[in-house]
Amino acid sequence: MPVSEFERMAAGELYCCLDDELDRLRQQARLAVHAHNTLRPDERGAVAPALRALFAIAAPDIFIEAPFHCSYGINITLGERVYFNAGCTILDSGRVTIGDRTMLGPGVQIYCAEHHKDPALRSQGIEIARPVAIGSDVWIGGAAVILGGVTIGDGAIVGAGAVVTKDVPPGATVVGNPARPMNRL
């Protein structure tokens, strides 16, 4: 049975985000993100060393354009040749797994946290984290939003500006808000 708020968050249970341990982890992420976003590109390379060290797993050949933001970083797993264009945000209170050769366009946002629907509990920082799994060879268009609990299958395409609230099957193309399959011609 999880006892700390971090353990509750990791287990997918309700937890309080207003917690000293979670705040310390978010501060660690802010420092790594700041290093990535402020280093000169020739010094930073594909990913600043502090940011790479933060991730749960990061293949050696990932590339993350600045600016980038994540809330914890420790819940992010990135496969080979993953590419993030400028302005991507991952609020990784839940696990975020991104497969090989997947590309995120500029301004893509991944949100794992879901705040409590009850306003009294929400004001106390009660939320739940839902994982996001994105397969290999996926293309996510600019400004798309991926919500917690979603799985996107291998080879799928998410159109620019789409809001993905449900799973996307392998090879499918989804567009719109909420994202829905695109009719084939």
Side-chain angles (χ1 to χ4, degrees):
M1 187 70 154
V3 288
S4 73
E5 297 305 317
F6 175 78
E7 290 170 326
R8 287 183 177 92
M9 180 179 80
E13 297 178 4
L14 289 172
Y15 66 95
C16 178
C17 66
L18 307 174
D19 174 74
D20 290 341
E21 179 184 15
L22 295 179
D23 192 46
R24 182 184 56 75
L25 291 170
R26 287 189 297 268
Q27 178 63 13
Q28 178 180 317
R30 284 190 288 273
L31 293 171
V33 164
H34 177 74
H36 177 80
N37 291 337
T38 58
L39 278 174
R40 289 171 32 123
D42 58 337
E43 295 173 7
R44 175 184 71 229
V47 182
L51 185 58
R52 179 181 292 283
L54 187 68
F55 294 141
I57 298 172
D61 54 358
I62 64 172
F63 197 102
I64 299 177
E65 300 281 5
F68 169 76
H69 179 76
C70 64
S71 51
Y72 294 96
I74 59 175
N75 293 319
I76 298 173
T77 297
L78 303 174
E80 296 177 7
R81 292 179 35 211
V82 167
Y83 175 77
F84 291 178
N85 209 320
C88 290
T89 297
I90 302 178
L91 302 185
D92 62 307
S93 48
R95 294 208 179 282
V96 176
T97 305
I98 300 176
D100 299 339
R101 299 168 305 281
T102 288
M103 299 183 297
L104 278 64
V108 168
Q109 301 168 62
I110 300 173
Y111 301 145
C112 293
E114 181 180 318
H115 302 285
H116 206 287
K117 290 176 178 49
D118 180 310
L121 293 174
R122 187 170 54 245
S123 71
Q124 296 172 31
I126 303 300
E127 58 188 36
I128 193 165
R130 302 197 189 282
V132 170
I134 300 172
S136 295
D137 302 305
V138 174
W139 176 19
I140 300 177
V145 176
I146 315 298
L147 297 184
V150 166
T151 296
I152 298 174
D154 293 344
I157 297 172
V158 175
V163 177
V164 183
T165 61
K166 296 180 182 175
D167 291 352
V168 177
T173 297
V174 297
V175 298
N177 180 5
R180 57 200 171 283
M182 189 169 102
N183 294 329
R184 303 263 183 206
L185 295 176

